[in-house]
Amino acid sequence: QVQVAESGGGLVQAGGSLRLSCKVSLAHDYDFDDYGMGWFRQAPGKEREGVSCISGRGDRKYYSDFVKGRFAISRDNDKNMVYIDMGSLEPEDTAIYYCVADRYLCQSESDLLHRRHNYWGQGTQVTVSS
C-alpha cells in the first residue's frame, strides 16, 4: 500500500551539488502527511546509515552529523514528494541513497540510528569524484 521510488542520482564532482527526489505512492485512503520520511545511504563495504529525516508535517528535521550544514531535506505533501538537496559533496558521500517511509519515522533523532522502518525504495546511486 506504500511504494517509494527515488530519482536524481548521478555523477558529480567534489564540491558540487545534487538533488535527490522521492515519490511516494499510497493507497487511496492513506494520507502522505501521516508518514515520516527519511534518507539513508550505503557506501561500498559499509553498513547502511541514516542521513536525514523529516516528520509528516515537516515540523521536525534531523540530520546526521556528517551532513549537517551541507544537506537539506524537504517535502511537498501536495505532491507526495520528498527531496534532499546535497551540497559541498565529498567523495565520502558516494553511496546508494535510499528513501524511506514509516508512520513513526522522525519522531526523534534516534530514528536515524536504526533501520527498522517499513517502506524502502530501490535506491539511487550517487558518485562524487575527486
Side-chain angles (χ1 to χ4, degrees):
Q1 59 270 52
V2 181
Q3 293 183 316
V4 179
E6 310 90 340
S7 61
L11 174 64
V12 62
Q13 288 189 331
S17 301
L18 201 61
R19 166 179 265 204
L20 303 182
S21 300
C22 175
K23 174 69 175 179
V24 179
S25 300
L26 300 169
H28 73 278
D29 54 347
Y30 286 61
D31 293 323
F32 181 56
D33 59 7
D34 286 338
Y35 288 81
M37 298 297 301
W39 289 93
F40 282 64
R41 72 184 188 184
Q42 188 165 17
K46 295 189 177 181
E47 290 192 354
R48 197 170 298 187
E49 59 185 0
V51 175
S52 181
C53 66
I54 184 168
S55 59
R57 299 188 186 278
D59 54 331
R60 290 189 304 278
K61 300 177 183 179
Y62 299 113
Y63 298 91
S64 290
D65 287 345
F66 50 81
V67 301
K68 278 181 181 176
R70 300 190 298 124
F71 290 13
I73 193 169
S74 60
R75 65 189 292 158
D76 183 338
N77 285 355
D78 291 333
K79 297 180 179 178
N80 287 17
M81 294 291 295
V82 179
Y83 308 97
I84 189 160
D85 291 292
M86 307 185 295
S88 302
L89 284 163
E90 304 166 351
E92 293 74 22
D93 295 316
T94 294
I96 299 174
Y97 283 72
Y98 297 90
C99 183
V100 183
D102 192 291
R103 287 184 180 271
Y104 305 103
L105 176 56
C106 219
Q107 293 187 345
S108 73
E109 194 169 9
S110 64
D111 288 340
L112 293 177
L113 301 178
H114 68 84
R115 298 185 291 275
R116 300 186 300 274
H117 308 300
N118 276 330
Y119 305 104
W120 294 76
Q122 294 297 310
T124 186
Q125 176 71 48
V126 172
T127 303
V128 184
S129 63
S130 57

